[in-house]
Amino acid sequence: VSTQSTWGSSMGKILIVDDTLFMRTLLKNILFSGGHTIAGEAGDGEEAIAKYKELKPDLVTMDVVMPKMNGIEALKGIKAMDPGARVVMCTAVGQEQMVKLAIKSGAKGYIVKPFQAPKVLEEVKNVLAS
């Protein structure tokens, strides 16, 4: 059963990637409040690629700075597997260079920490609609 026709194209199954449980939980709560489904979570870039392959989410929120494999490398890995992947980078204030690199590498958007629910939901909605 497709939820697309019932709910419109603004809701999605989302994979949350961040190395801190606190940030994943925060994002999960914001996304739930916006009516989205959480497909799964990953704590580093390697796990993100594996979970993407397994879960095939509509969108990924990807932290930039993580152990093992950073968000930019994971983004490239996901885009190599699925060129149409929708990835939104999560970045701290002052990481503009990383954001530029991520957009060049195929990210569809970005959200800035500390997260503000309306901005997160707006960016996710825009990227899902793209």
Side-chain angles (χ1 to χ4, degrees):
V1 178
S2 170
T3 55
Q4 291 291 355
S5 57
T6 317
W7 300 103
S9 60
S10 63
M11 307 302 162
K13 276 191 336 192
I14 300 174
L15 172 62
I16 298 173
V17 184
D18 197 296
D19 58 322
T20 62
L21 178 62
F22 173 75
M23 284 297 174
R24 290 199 308 268
T25 304
L26 191 63
L27 264 179
K28 202 189 318 186
N29 291 340
I30 292 171
L31 294 166
F32 267 140
S33 77
H36 298 284
T37 307
I38 307 309
E41 296 176 35
D44 62 58
E46 288 174 6
E47 193 184 355
I49 293 171
K51 287 270 172 98
Y52 187 89
K53 198 184 282 187
E54 176 197 336
L55 303 167
K56 298 180 179 46
D58 299 315
L59 184 138
V60 179
T61 64
M62 180 81 70
D63 188 23
V64 174
V65 181
M66 294 182 293
K68 288 189 193 170
M69 179 190 286
N70 72 32
I72 307 279
E73 293 307 311
L75 166 68
K76 289 176 182 171
I78 288 171
K79 291 299 266 189
M81 214 170 21
D82 177 4
R86 294 184 186 108
V87 181
V88 173
M89 304 307 285
C90 301
T91 172
V93 174
Q95 291 181 328
E96 286 79 14
Q97 289 308 112
M98 286 298 231
V99 169
K100 284 179 186 159
L101 183 59
I103 301 291
K104 261 193 207 143
S105 303
K108 299 275 190 210
Y110 67 96
I111 45 184
V112 179
K113 296 175 185 176
F115 298 128
Q116 293 173 313
K119 288 195 171 142
V120 170
L121 294 173
E122 178 76 10
E123 188 70 5
V124 165
K125 188 176 108 180
N126 291 342
V127 172
L128 282 171
S130 68

